[in-house]
Amino acid sequence: MTQLSPKAAGTLAVWLQDPSVDENTKAELRALENDPQELEERFYRDLEFGTGGLRGVIGAGSNRINRYTVGRATQGFAKYILEQHSGEGRPSVVIAHDSRRFSPEFTLEAALVLAGNGIETHLFPSLRSTPQLSFSVRHLKATGGVVITASHNPPEYNGYKVYNAQGGQLVPDEAEKVISYILQVDSFDAVKRLSQEEAEQQGLLHWLGEEADEAFTDTVAAVSVAREEIKASLGRDFKIVYTPLHGTGNQPVRRVLEKIGFSQVYVVPEQEQPDSEFSTVKSPNPEEREAFTLAIKLGEELNADLLIGTDPDADRMGAVVRDNEGKFVVLSGNQSGALMIHYYLSRLQEQGKLPSNGAVVKTIVTSEMGAAVAAHYGAAVFNTLTGFKYIGEKMTQFEHSGDYTFLFGYEESYGYLAGNYARDKDAVLAAMLIAEAGAYYKAQGKTLYDVLQELYEQFGYFLESLESRTLKGKDGVAQIQGIMNDWRSNPPQEIVGSAVTEVLDYSLGLSGLPKENVLKYLLADGSWFCLRPSGTEPKIKVYFAVRGESLENARDKVAALSQQVMARVDGN
């Protein structure tokens, strides 16, 4: 134990001596006494509560997610909820969870701690999607929400995301209050907790039923702009292969597609059921082509028109379409976003329902192509920091001021929302919109790939790419910070023969946005690249965007830009 840092050694001792820590947890820690490096990783810090909540590797320790770190976070969140509640009766929180390891256990732990603080909880009896949680907070007029998920992270992770009364993830000023309250919880004895029996007897724990699912399905389906056409004819001949990637999307996606009239929806059987190991994929991430291997196989067998995949908590959607040679290609998040904006806004315009004060909201690392399409239809375009919580915040601002009508929000990482029913990205909604767009254009003799080429010809050949480097553990945190410090203090003057015309350092709080450790470099030829440490994984992400004279030219430009920037990143 002498090799541990003072912080790690002291915190480990507290865990081993605390009578409120169960013996199984203590045994797990004692079994690591000959592995000081692992103990250091588990105890060198407390698992950080970021602006979205907790996310970490499952296991015993202060830098791991477990019932104790979940309980401590919930005790802090409870104080925030009690502070926010101003109406009659008790404050309330809705809780949902996905298919990950210990998700049901962490859900119940959060509910019982909230109950210990006199806060009512509404729990789903089994796994539900993150967007349904966001919707349900609003629908039930709750004071807040919690979802237990680690999104598309590897199987060893889980997470704890918290939501405000608007159904959005906490933004920085809200999160800072919760963090301050968590830091006041200096021992596990300070965590108030009821038993399940006590919570139910006192009316503090309620289980949600089918009506909650029906309300969500009906609300999502109401956003459709082709429901009658899909039901009448378009949905009969359009074949969809869908994979929930072992997550929560299976039932809600199928329910919504059926409700609006799609009759040929085929689910990848190997990936249909919940599986905390995500055993058929390296990563349950619809951003990666490999996640669609089984879907593509089934799609070829069925001669499907469209393949759809959703991540474990069903807030991200990926689409695979046929190119002009009939081969399946995975659309990027930016491409899917541009297609959906074009389809949705053009149909609203045709139907005379496009408001004059419409707005589209995207993030600073999302393609400008969607912005160009939105502007074509007269919509204002707003940029936010990365994270759908900021898009949700904009939506609430529009709702309160009435200055703009929210139409569509999206981010390059496969997150989309239309309609005003939630404050988080919704893969169920996105699956519906991309499917009805595909069916609508098929009736015109076009594929979604054909429509994408038309958008390129009309608005320009925008192309983007993303590189990331995973740097785990204590050393990884330092490496990532070192990379950011190097680029911040020594900005390049020129990249791939194009002058750097502007450096945007978002840690300074630019354009009225919250401060965030992000650097964006604008080039004279209209290209840009951006360095951003991930808030949910031990990664640094580097985004690249160009506008070419042709698709081939754009591919060459983005490849050259990526190669030169990453050579410096990797050399740090």
Side-chain angles (χ1 to χ4, degrees):
M1 298 297 179
T2 55
Q3 299 176 58
L4 295 183
S5 65
K7 158 70 175 168
T11 310
L12 171 60
V14 168
W15 278 61
L16 290 174
Q17 294 162 17
D18 193 325
S20 61
V21 174
D22 69 273
E23 284 304 315
N24 287 339
T25 297
K26 291 178 180 178
E28 180 182 338
L29 295 173
R30 291 190 188 104
L32 296 170
E33 62 183 355
N34 293 320
D35 191 351
Q37 184 176 352
E38 175 64 16
L39 286 172
E40 181 70 24
E41 290 293 341
R42 291 186 182 219
F43 286 101
Y44 81 91
R45 65 173 186 175
D46 289 343
L47 186 62
E48 186 176 337
F49 190 99
T51 54
L54 302 172
R55 190 176 298 188
V57 174
I58 300 163
S62 62
N63 189 34
R64 294 289 185 264
I65 191 160
N66 49 65
R67 60 169 290 201
Y68 300 104
T69 51
V70 165
R72 182 171 181 252
T74 305
Q75 183 61 45
F77 185 48
K79 185 171 181 179
Y80 176 79
I81 289 293
L82 292 168
E83 180 186 82
Q84 293 301 303
H85 180 67
S86 57
E88 295 181 4
R90 293 166 168 165
S92 62
V93 171
V94 186
I95 310 179
H97 71 266
D98 68 3
S99 57
R100 288 182 174 271
R101 301 173 192 165
F102 296 101
S103 283
E105 291 86 346
F106 294 160
T107 295
L108 189 57
E109 184 67 22
L112 298 180
V113 172
L114 289 166
N117 286 270
I119 298 167
E120 284 190 31
T121 57
H122 300 271
L123 277 68
F124 291 98
S126 57
L127 70 172
R128 293 297 188 279
S129 71
T130 289
Q132 184 169 350
L133 180 279
S134 176
F135 163 78
S136 296
V137 169
R138 297 173 62 80
H139 184 66
L140 295 173
K141 296 181 171 57
T143 321
V146 173
V147 62
I148 305 296
T149 178
S151 189
H152 58 286
N153 279 52
E156 63 268 23
Y157 281 80
N158 211 330
Y160 173 98
K161 291 197 292 190
V162 292
Y163 288 73
N164 57 27
Q166 289 75 45
Q169 290 185 51
L170 301 190
V171 292
D173 59 331
E174 296 171 320
E176 283 168 13
K177 287 184 181 177
V178 175
I179 291 167
S180 71
Y181 296 150
I182 293 171
L183 292 174
Q184 292 172 19
V185 184
D186 55 6
S187 72
F188 296 130
D189 280 343
V191 177
K192 301 174 185 176
R193 187 181 186 276
L194 295 183
S195 68
Q196 182 174 341
E197 184 180 11
E198 289 171 330
E200 289 176 337
Q201 285 177 349
Q202 294 179 33
L204 291 166
L205 196 158
H206 309 277
W207 297 94
L208 294 167
E210 288 184 9
E211 66 279 0
D213 297 329
E214 290 170 5
F216 176 66
T217 302
D218 290 345
T219 304
V220 174
V223 180
S224 169
V225 286
R227 190 167 179 175
E228 297 310 313
E229 298 156 277
I230 300 294
K231 278 191 170 181
S233 60
L234 300 185
R236 295 178 197 159
D237 302 320
F238 194 75
K239 284 187 181 178
I240 301 166
V241 167
Y242 168 61
T243 172
L245 296 176
H246 304 294
T248 63
N250 184 33
Q251 293 186 24
V253 168
R254 292 166 73 176
R255 277 197 296 260
V256 166
L257 291 176
E258 181 183 6
K259 185 170 279 286
I260 70 165
F262 285 103
S263 57
Q264 295 204 60
V265 179
Y266 304 88
V267 180
V268 176
E270 300 93 332
Q271 298 172 331
E272 180 177 359
Q273 297 304 318
D275 175 9
S276 62
E277 302 307 308
F278 309 111
S279 51
T280 64
V281 290
K282 283 187 178 177
S283 172
N285 188 352
E287 296 180 63
E288 298 175 11
R289 181 182 175 86
E290 191 176 35
F292 284 102
T293 300
L294 292 174
I296 290 171
K297 182 173 179 287
L298 183 59
E300 296 286 8
E301 292 171 6
L302 296 173
N303 193 29
D305 297 292
L306 174 68
L307 316 181
I308 298 170
T310 57
D311 70 344
D313 64 325
D315 64 353
R316 298 171 190 252
M317 185 281 300
V320 184
V321 302
R322 291 189 183 275
D323 66 11
N324 49 17
E325 296 178 355
K327 296 178 181 177
F328 282 120
V329 293
V330 181
L331 295 177
S332 73
N334 287 311
Q335 291 170 332
S336 292
L339 281 166
M340 283 189 277
I341 291 170
H342 170 63
Y343 167 72
Y344 186 58
L345 271 59
S346 67
R347 296 307 314 279
L348 288 175
Q349 188 177 67
E350 286 171 24
Q351 296 165 12
K353 297 177 180 176
L354 187 65
S356 59
N357 67 341
V360 168
V361 188
K362 70 179 194 67
T363 71
I364 59 172
V365 296
T366 299
S367 170
E368 294 302 318
M369 185 173 180
V373 175
H376 173 75
Y377 290 102
V381 178
F382 293 84
N383 283 291
T384 70
L385 292 176
T386 305
F388 219 89
K389 56 183 170 286
Y390 297 116
I391 296 176
E393 184 182 34
K394 273 288 179 197
M395 293 173 67
T396 298
Q397 288 173 8
F398 296 159
E399 192 173 58
H400 289 163
S401 71
D403 293 339
Y404 295 95
T405 299
F406 174 79
L407 296 173
F408 195 85
Y410 79 117
E411 50 189 4
E412 51 74 39
S413 55
Y414 290 62
Y416 317 96
L417 184 66
N420 207 34
Y421 62 90
R423 290 292 183 273
D424 213 337
K425 51 191 177 285
D426 186 358
V428 182
L429 176 282
M432 180 188 78
L433 273 188
I434 201 79
E436 68 175 61
Y440 175 77
Y441 292 121
K442 183 181 180 181
Q444 300 175 17
K446 299 176 184 178
T447 66
L448 286 171
Y449 187 85
D450 293 331
V451 178
L452 182 62
Q453 304 317 302
E454 291 175 0
L455 294 180
Y456 281 138
E457 290 172 18
Q458 182 175 358
F459 297 103
Y461 292 89
F462 293 87
L463 203 62
E464 300 78 31
S465 69
L466 169 67
E467 292 282 346
S468 64
R469 297 292 184 264
T470 300
L471 299 164
K472 293 184 178 181
K474 187 177 181 180
D475 292 342
V477 172
Q479 284 178 269
I480 290 171
Q481 193 54 51
I483 292 169
M484 295 300 292
N485 290 343
D486 175 60
W487 282 84
R488 184 169 276 120
S489 57
N490 301 295
Q493 302 301 307
E494 182 183 88
I495 296 282
V496 289
S498 185
V500 175
T501 56
E502 192 172 2
V503 179
L504 301 175
D505 185 348
Y506 288 93
S507 70
L508 304 175
L510 304 181
S511 305
L513 299 174
K515 295 178 180 180
E516 191 158 295
N517 187 19
V518 177
L519 293 167
K520 188 172 184 178
Y521 299 84
L522 310 184
L523 308 185
D525 67 353
S527 304
W528 57 262
F529 67 95
C530 182
L531 286 82
R532 172 182 163 266
S534 171
T536 57
E537 299 173 88
K539 287 182 178 179
I540 183 167
K541 295 185 174 184
V542 189
Y543 304 80
F544 305 94
V546 302
R547 186 177 181 180
E549 297 170 5
S550 66
L551 204 51
E552 186 177 0
N553 174 247
R555 287 189 185 118
D556 290 343
K557 286 181 72 173
V558 80
L561 180 60
S562 173
Q563 183 178 9
Q564 189 166 338
V565 171
M566 294 313 295
R568 176 171 165 181
V569 169
D570 292 336
N572 277 275

